[in-house]
Amino acid sequence: MQRSLISSLMEQRSCTDCVLKPMCRPAIVRPDEMELLAGSVLPRRQIPAGTAVYRQGDQVRALFVSQGGVLKTETLGVDGQAQVIGFHFPGELIGVEAFDSGRFRASALALEPASVCEIPIAALERVASQDPSFQRQLMRAAGSCLAHQQDHIELLSLRQADERIALFLVGMLERTEAATRAEQTLIHLPMNRSDIASYLCLNNETVSRSFSRLRDDGVLGVNGRHVRVLDRGRLARIAKVSDMEQPRLA
Amino acid sequence: MQRSLISSLMEQRSCTDCVLKPMCRPAIVRPDEMELLAGSVLPRRQIPAGTAVYRQGDQVRALFVSQGGVLKTETLGVDGQAQVIGFHFPGELIGVEAFDSGRFRASALALEPASVCEIPIAALERVASQDPSFQRQLMRAAGSCLAHQQDHIELLSLRQADERIALFLVGMLERTEAATRAEQTLIHLPMNRSDIASYLCLNNETVSRSFSRLRDDGVLGVNGRHVRVLDRGRLARIAKVSDMEQPRLA
DNA sequence: CGGACCCTTGACGACTTTCAACGTGTGTGG
DNA sequence: CCACACACGTTGAAAGTCGTCAAGGGTCCG
């Protein structure tokens, strides 16, 4: 299912026939814009699981969009501990924060085998200067990155571990539904418990215990990285989300 | 001192003679760009302390830059509790995250009487499409917003209250030094303890206790919103910052 | 003078962290 | 093919920290 989708992506050569075109929010929207970029966007890299798309401190020569495979971004704190900054699903632009200093503030790693689209800065600027609506899309993409970060902070503002886990899962569920355009109850987590723990600023033991508690309470079915949402209403209530937020499949 | 700087800003009429021009990173850099914007940037509003520049949910018609006075942005969680997302010093662009949905995801409030420069979206796009280097500056500004958010998340990744307070103060000190272009030991906090607590995802009692602990340990001198850094090295060590990071007065 | 707001401090309980042990699955090398 | 190491996930017990509830002092302002 997911496999065949990904492998079909592996084959594609240009953005004009991108399977993810409709959800490729970040930069490419209109066909003519795609043609403008076509010559430069082409570089697409296969990233093996666990390896880096770019590393913290690298000079920014391009931005990236995963076309298949989830990525994580993380910074190495001064004490050597990695702090997961975000998880990035196909179609999301990453690396924008590097525009500030010219260097990436975080490393981007593939959680699973990924196909990543590389957008050279020069091409980005060239197209943006030629096409105002593309430029607007670029700003939208940057705004979207910022919005995701704000969601992350709101997530961390929840004090209880169960609340954070619940909100995290609600987010993962919504992203899964947005990708499949169908209501889901099963979530596949592409990251391990330590990554979740880091993202939520918790210990991995605490994450594990939260999963178990939610399982014992009949809210979740937990089997490693496969989580089934058994009681969506209760999950939303724990996450303090306005009960049963309508899934937006736009 | 600070008063006269602010009051001088109150008088100014256009960006070309902006006192903060050199540190006005977000949008305006080159004189000719300023001239391009001059006609549209002029609208400048005086914001009384405690009132809003814009509110969560408002439609985005303009972005904003404080020219004098610190602002805070906060979102109202579903439970009605406000979560402080950021503190914004003069020269920092705010509102970028609204580019995503077209509506502000947070409210922006003045912590002290502020003078805020309003940049209509239309003008922003017009100038950006005419001037590639301005467009680059805009992206830089967006990246800078993202970078600040990442710093915030790193701040929240510290588990101990003292560590968060210390890192918060280090940041405030650096921003103060960047603004005055001189080494400082005294920090004036424009926000109250509750705002700090919300920003750090702590209780205001916990914030208070942390300040007291750091005072008792001889690291700080605390007098309400005036904090003197007595032992910068120790403060940095508590914040887990690479000891004595050179103040960048660039 | 009274009230509202802000800041501080104390005591208690709840939660997370820490340290530790154990089970499982996977991949490597004998 | 099996043994082993290793990463990952789970669970337990103890200790430490933060949140909650409560009270008090300070300042500003009507």
Side-chain angles (χ1 to χ4, degrees):
Chain A
M1 223 51 177
Q2 197 71 2
R3 282 296 109 193
S4 65
L5 177 65
I6 290 176
S7 54
S8 83
L9 283 165
M10 299 291 190
E11 305 302 327
Q12 65 180 98
R13 303 282 303 279
S14 114
C15 282
T16 47
D17 53 68
C18 176
V19 179
L20 294 172
K21 185 176 63 179
M23 66 172 291
C24 192
R25 302 249 230 83
I28 304 96
V29 270
R30 294 186 344 212
D32 54 325
E33 286 164 12
M34 281 189 273
E35 284 162 25
L36 273 169
L37 271 172
S40 17
V41 170
L42 277 177
R44 188 163 299 174
R45 280 159 50 189
Q46 303 305 319
I47 313 287
T51 61
V53 178
Y54 56 78
R55 290 187 185 284
Q56 187 170 354
D58 284 356
Q59 208 159 7
V60 199
R61 271 182 267 276
L63 298 189
F64 300 88
V65 179
S66 171
Q67 300 292 354
V70 179
L71 310 177
K72 71 170 175 183
T73 46
E74 63 181 22
T75 63
L76 275 71
V78 190
D79 53 346
Q81 286 293 351
Q83 169 62 38
V84 174
I85 295 293
F87 299 113
H88 310 276
F89 282 66
E92 296 174 3
L93 187 67
I94 62 170
V96 181
E97 86 281 356
F99 266 122
D100 183 35
S101 66
R103 294 185 175 278
F104 290 110
R105 294 171 50 92
S107 303
L109 288 83
L111 292 170
E112 39 192 15
S115 169
V116 172
C117 181
E118 184 172 338
I119 311 170
I121 301 291
L124 208 67
E125 292 181 343
R126 178 165 42 79
V127 177
S129 65
Q130 287 171 25
D131 185 340
S133 92
F134 177 83
Q135 174 199 310
R136 204 168 1 231
Q137 279 301 319
L138 199 56
M139 287 307 291
R140 264 184 51 122
S144 175
C145 293
L146 224 20
H148 269 101
Q149 296 265 60
Q150 287 192 7
D151 287 340
H152 190 184
I153 290 169
E154 280 190 60
L155 185 56
L156 296 178
S157 77
L158 298 175
R159 307 294 165 83
Q160 306 266 58
D162 291 351
E163 299 172 7
R164 292 190 198 171
I165 293 286
L167 188 50
F168 170 71
L169 289 176
V170 168
M172 291 297 293
L173 188 59
E174 285 175 357
R175 284 166 110 165
T176 304
E177 291 180 331
T180 59
R181 297 172 163 277
E183 212 159 314
Q184 300 286 342
T185 63
L186 186 64
I187 308 172
H188 169 66
L189 300 173
M191 71 295 284
N192 63 28
R193 297 287 193 264
S194 293
D195 285 331
I196 297 175
S198 175
Y199 183 72
L200 301 181
C201 294
L202 294 171
N203 271 22
N204 42 19
E205 292 98 329
T206 306
V207 171
S208 218
R209 271 186 260 268
S210 267
F211 273 116
S212 302
R213 237 188 327 265
L214 292 169
R215 165 173 49 74
D216 296 343
D217 291 354
V219 180
L220 300 178
V222 180
N223 182 10
R225 299 190 182 182
H226 292 279
V227 176
R228 188 170 295 281
V229 178
L230 300 173
D231 189 338
R232 190 164 178 162
R234 199 127 63 94
L235 190 68
R237 235 170 300 131
I238 294 170
K240 298 191 173 172
V241 175
S242 53
D243 245 1
M244 264 300 147
E245 189 170 290
Q246 291 305 326
R248 292 156 297 183
L249 299 177
Chain B
M1 225 49 176
Q2 197 71 0
R3 284 295 110 192
S4 66
L5 177 66
I6 289 178
S7 55
S8 83
L9 282 164
M10 299 289 189
E11 304 303 326
Q12 67 180 97
R13 303 284 303 279
S14 113
C15 281
T16 47
D17 53 69
C18 177
V19 179
L20 294 172
K21 186 176 63 179
M23 69 173 291
C24 191
R25 302 248 230 85
I28 304 95
V29 271
R30 293 182 350 208
D32 53 325
E33 287 164 10
M34 281 188 274
E35 285 162 25
L36 274 168
L37 271 172
S40 15
V41 169
L42 277 177
R44 187 163 302 171
R45 282 158 48 191
Q46 303 304 321
I47 313 288
T51 61
V53 178
Y54 56 78
R55 291 187 184 283
Q56 186 170 354
D58 284 357
Q59 209 159 10
V60 200
R61 272 183 265 275
L63 298 190
F64 300 88
V65 179
S66 171
Q67 300 292 356
V70 178
L71 310 177
K72 70 170 173 181
T73 47
E74 63 180 22
T75 64
L76 274 70
V78 190
D79 52 346
Q81 287 292 353
Q83 169 62 38
V84 174
I85 295 294
F87 299 112
H88 309 276
F89 282 65
E92 296 173 3
L93 187 67
I94 63 170
V96 182
E97 85 283 356
F99 265 124
D100 182 36
S101 65
R103 294 184 176 279
F104 289 111
R105 294 171 49 92
S107 303
L109 288 83
L111 290 171
E112 38 191 16
S115 169
V116 172
C117 180
E118 183 173 340
I119 311 170
I121 301 291
L124 208 67
E125 292 181 344
R126 178 164 43 78
V127 177
S129 67
Q130 287 172 25
D131 186 340
S133 92
F134 176 84
Q135 174 199 310
R136 205 168 359 232
Q137 279 300 320
L138 200 56
M139 288 307 293
R140 264 183 50 123
S144 176
C145 292
L146 226 20
H148 269 102
Q149 296 265 59
Q150 287 192 7
D151 287 340
H152 190 184
I153 290 169
E154 281 190 61
L155 185 55
L156 296 178
S157 76
L158 298 175
R159 306 295 165 84
Q160 308 264 53
D162 291 351
E163 297 172 8
R164 292 191 198 171
I165 293 285
L167 188 49
F168 169 71
L169 290 176
V170 168
M172 290 296 294
L173 187 60
E174 284 175 358
R175 282 166 110 165
T176 304
E177 290 180 333
T180 59
R181 297 172 166 277
E183 212 159 315
Q184 300 286 342
T185 63
L186 185 64
I187 308 173
H188 169 67
L189 300 172
M191 71 296 284
N192 64 28
R193 297 288 192 265
S194 294
D195 285 331
I196 298 175
S198 173
Y199 183 73
L200 301 182
C201 294
L202 295 170
N203 270 23
N204 41 20
E205 291 97 329
T206 305
V207 171
S208 219
R209 270 186 261 268
S210 266
F211 273 116
S212 301
R213 238 190 324 265
L214 292 169
R215 166 173 49 75
D216 296 344
D217 291 355
V219 179
L220 300 178
V222 179
N223 182 11
R225 299 189 181 182
H226 292 278
V227 176
R228 188 170 295 281
V229 178
L230 301 173
D231 189 338
R232 190 165 180 163
R234 199 128 61 95
L235 190 68
R237 236 170 300 131
I238 294 170
K240 299 190 173 172
V241 175
S242 53
D243 245 0
M244 263 300 147
E245 189 170 288
Q246 290 305 324
R248 291 158 298 183
L249 298 178

